[in-house]
Amino acid sequence: MPERRTVALVTLGCARNEVDSEELAGRLAADGWDLVEEAEDADVAVVNTCGFVEAAKKDSVDALLEANDLKDHGRTQAVVAVGCMAERYGRELADALPEADGVLGFDDYTDISDRLRTILAGGVHAAHVPRDRRKLLPVSPAARQQAGAGVALPGHGDAAAPAGEAVDGADAAAAAPSDLPDGLAPASGPRAPLRRRLGKSPVASVKLASGCDRRCSFCAIPSFRGSFISRRPSDVLAETRWLAEQGVREVMLVSENNTSYGKDLGDIRLLETLLPELAAVDGIERVRVSYLQPAEMRPDLIDVLTGTEKVAPYFDLSFQHSAPGVLRAMRRFGDTDSFLALLDSIRAKAPNAGARSNFIVGFPGETEADVHELERFLSAARLDAVGVFGYSDEDGTEAAGYEEKHDPDVVAARLERLSRLAEELTAQRAEERLGETVRVLVEDLGDGPEGEGPVGRAAHQAPETDGQVLLTGASCHGLAVGRMVEAKVVATEGVDLVAEPLASESEEATG
């Protein structure tokens, strides 16, 4: 029997990468690897990189170099890069960063264990030459599902056993829950995800789809993530049920574009059908949908998001800008007034709905009038959270070849100006919630040496990006991580809320 080895997964970037890491963890655990939390305690450190923008790529390189330093004074013997940056640059990254003992692309994920064993044994795995992954699937969405069977789709959670297939003999012993590492999904139900949880948070992301068919001029993601392909609803449901059994209380649906879900399955309204089924999963208290395209929003989807019990009335809308000229140069649609009308239609159904977005300033050709137009939109939109980014060229994108580029100092000045405005406006929006009763998922009891008390998130707050709720007062006694409580907002701290659990919640928690 091969010697058991230890591996640590270091995840950078977005929630989609977190799902990919847990799939890799599932594969490795199933093949006998012991997973550890810290890279310094592992034989091999696998860094799941981000390749979206320059700052994220720098963070990824820094993480690889930091892990490489462990080889001089610790257990770590090898550092391996996976993820978007590894897929996007392949051999180029391997040549530029010899500190990485291996650079693995998406096509290596199914054989991740063999790849790591080869590298640990001193062997060399040649890094791939990147290719445009959009060309791996048919142009027609309707033809993709069958063709996608032979294409690596990270985070789609290959089943431990196919639907309806009996598991017996040696396979049954291998799949028995008592024999699997703790937290690894066994082959049960229609399709069980090959996934291993890397933390104990009551929140987990679920991959709804991969890739993107949009052609935004500033974005390179489709070239290395590929064309859009949906996961089957039965797989999403099975993974959500498994996560609930692991103690998850909130699932966040992630992909490059959730509003396109189902178009390759013959039903563009499939998300409207799936959401109530996910909300009905025993143990799940909240379902959240991220990454929504304003141009693809439809009345029925708004109805489901605002009117379904346990589905958060939360709208993560990818506006990017609001000046028509800039949006057209970005290969996007809309303008200030149409975006405000969309937000009005949402709030007409759910006045307290959460809304957030990201924006790019300093885009090639952006005028001072365009900046004023974006300021007009932000001032009227009442968004709960706003991310502002300064434009920078991305390899292989259309915008990288645009003329009328702004001086970096101009981009930086506009970034500072819009970021300051966004900070003021989101703090004002938080103040509007004073006196509001919110449902808070408790995520941390704050009982450490520097803890301020229990902390959680309300329906309008997604993990990591949108602020949090600090629970305070005598009614906090008896709260537990993973509990959903009703609380009244009594104060704000920037975008964060301070709230007191209602007395009935305290009584129930201690009863």
Side-chain angles (χ1 to χ4, degrees):
M1 182 175 180
E3 179 187 357
R4 293 185 73 88
R5 294 284 197 165
T6 56
V7 59
L9 287 123
V10 180
T11 306
L12 293 90
C14 64
R16 300 185 294 269
N17 259 16
E18 294 173 5
V19 176
D20 295 352
S21 285
E22 292 198 347
E23 181 186 291
L24 289 175
R27 292 183 183 281
L28 289 166
D31 203 41
W33 289 76
D34 291 328
L35 277 81
V36 296
E37 292 186 9
E38 302 297 332
E40 61 187 9
D41 298 326
D43 295 318
V44 56
V46 177
V47 180
N48 192 347
T49 61
C50 179
F52 181 39
V53 293
E54 286 303 317
K57 287 184 279 189
K58 181 181 182 303
D59 288 344
S60 295
V61 171
D62 289 345
L64 287 163
L65 293 175
E66 182 178 342
N68 181 69
D69 289 342
L70 297 174
K71 291 191 291 187
D72 295 330
H73 51 80
R75 174 169 179 160
T76 308
Q77 301 172 45
V79 175
V80 175
V82 299
C84 291
M85 188 177 179
E87 173 62 38
R88 184 176 181 183
Y89 294 104
R91 185 179 297 173
E92 180 182 347
L93 177 63
D95 292 342
L97 196 70
E99 291 85 354
D101 298 287
V103 174
L104 306 182
F106 296 152
D107 292 332
D108 292 309
Y109 281 21
T110 55
D111 300 312
I112 184 70
S113 180
D114 289 342
R115 299 287 186 266
L116 297 189
R117 291 187 187 280
T118 295
I119 292 168
L120 275 178
V124 176
H125 176 71
H128 65 285
V129 175
R131 52 181 172 170
D132 189 336
R133 296 190 71 85
R134 288 171 294 191
K135 298 179 180 179
L136 301 181
L137 291 170
V139 173
S140 169
R144 289 177 188 166
Q145 286 293 321
Q146 184 172 358
V151 176
L153 299 170
H156 279 224
D158 288 357
E165 181 177 325
V167 181
D168 51 30
D171 291 336
S178 60
D179 293 339
L180 284 170
D182 182 45
L184 179 64
S188 61
R191 287 173 67 92
L194 187 57
R195 178 173 178 172
R196 169 75 177 262
R197 295 217 68 203
L198 294 175
K200 297 180 180 180
S201 170
V203 184
S205 296
V206 174
K207 201 65 104 44
L208 196 61
S210 287
C212 186
D213 288 341
R214 301 184 71 86
R215 294 295 180 264
C216 300
S217 63
F218 57 85
C219 183
I221 289 176
S223 66
F224 58 84
R225 277 289 184 179
S227 297
F228 185 90
I229 185 165
S230 304
R231 291 182 70 193
R232 294 191 174 277
S234 57
D235 291 348
V236 177
L237 273 166
E239 187 164 339
T240 299
R241 292 189 184 106
W242 177 77
L243 287 168
E245 293 170 358
Q246 299 294 313
V248 168
R249 295 295 171 257
E250 176 180 324
V251 292
M252 184 167 74
L253 302 180
V254 299
S255 75
E256 279 73 23
N257 178 10
N258 281 333
T259 37
S260 283
Y261 180 68
K263 72 176 187 178
D264 53 323
L265 294 171
D267 186 359
I268 192 59
R269 292 178 174 81
L270 196 55
L271 185 56
E272 288 93 306
T273 303
L274 178 61
L275 283 171
E277 295 185 57
L278 294 173
V281 171
D282 188 32
I284 296 298
E285 293 293 334
R286 180 184 287 155
V287 178
R288 185 183 302 277
V289 184
S290 61
Y291 305 113
L292 302 170
Q293 288 292 338
E296 298 180 23
M297 290 301 294
R298 44 197 181 268
D300 288 349
L301 180 55
I302 293 174
D303 287 343
V304 172
L305 288 170
T306 57
T308 306
E309 185 179 3
K310 295 188 178 182
V311 173
Y314 174 80
F315 293 82
D316 176 13
L317 295 160
S318 179
F319 289 126
Q320 302 298 346
H321 212 285
S322 72
V326 176
L327 286 167
R328 301 305 174 268
M330 289 179 169
R331 303 296 183 204
R332 297 179 66 83
F333 306 94
D335 54 41
T336 295
D337 293 334
S338 65
F339 290 164
L340 290 176
L342 173 59
L343 290 169
D344 286 344
S345 69
I346 290 168
R347 289 170 177 145
K349 297 179 182 295
N352 295 327
R356 78 167 323 275
S357 192
N358 294 323
F359 300 88
I360 299 173
V361 295
F363 196 79
E366 180 190 62
T367 65
E368 186 62 25
D370 293 329
V371 178
H372 283 303
E373 185 69 359
L374 179 53
E375 290 173 327
R376 180 171 82 88
F377 171 69
L378 288 173
S379 298
R382 297 169 55 234
L383 298 174
D384 292 280
V386 173
V388 185
F389 301 88
Y391 172 81
S392 62
D393 286 339
E394 280 298 310
D395 298 335
T397 62
E398 181 183 355
Y402 283 0
E403 298 179 354
E404 299 184 82
K405 299 281 180 63
H406 291 291
D407 186 277
D409 290 341
V410 172
V411 177
R414 291 180 179 179
L415 174 60
E416 181 181 0
R417 170 179 161 188
L418 270 295
S419 296
R420 186 167 57 248
L421 175 63
E423 185 176 351
E424 294 172 359
L425 292 171
T426 52
Q428 291 174 16
R429 176 64 180 133
E431 290 176 358
E432 292 178 18
R433 295 190 181 274
L434 285 170
E436 186 178 315
T437 297
V438 292
R439 296 187 75 232
V440 180
L441 177 65
V442 180
E443 297 183 7
D444 190 334
L445 296 181
D447 51 6
E450 299 180 1
E452 297 180 345
V455 172
R457 289 177 299 100
H460 69 282
Q461 298 167 318
E464 307 295 336
T465 60
D466 300 343
Q468 58 188 10
V469 180
L470 173 63
L471 296 168
T472 187
S475 297
C476 288
H477 178 68
L479 294 180
V481 171
R483 181 174 178 77
M484 189 76 76
V485 300
E486 301 280 335
K488 182 178 180 180
V489 180
V490 297
T492 65
E493 297 178 359
V495 297
D496 296 335
L497 306 180
V498 180
E500 295 179 351
L502 301 182
S504 59
E505 295 290 340
S506 177
E507 293 167 2
E508 185 179 344
T510 58

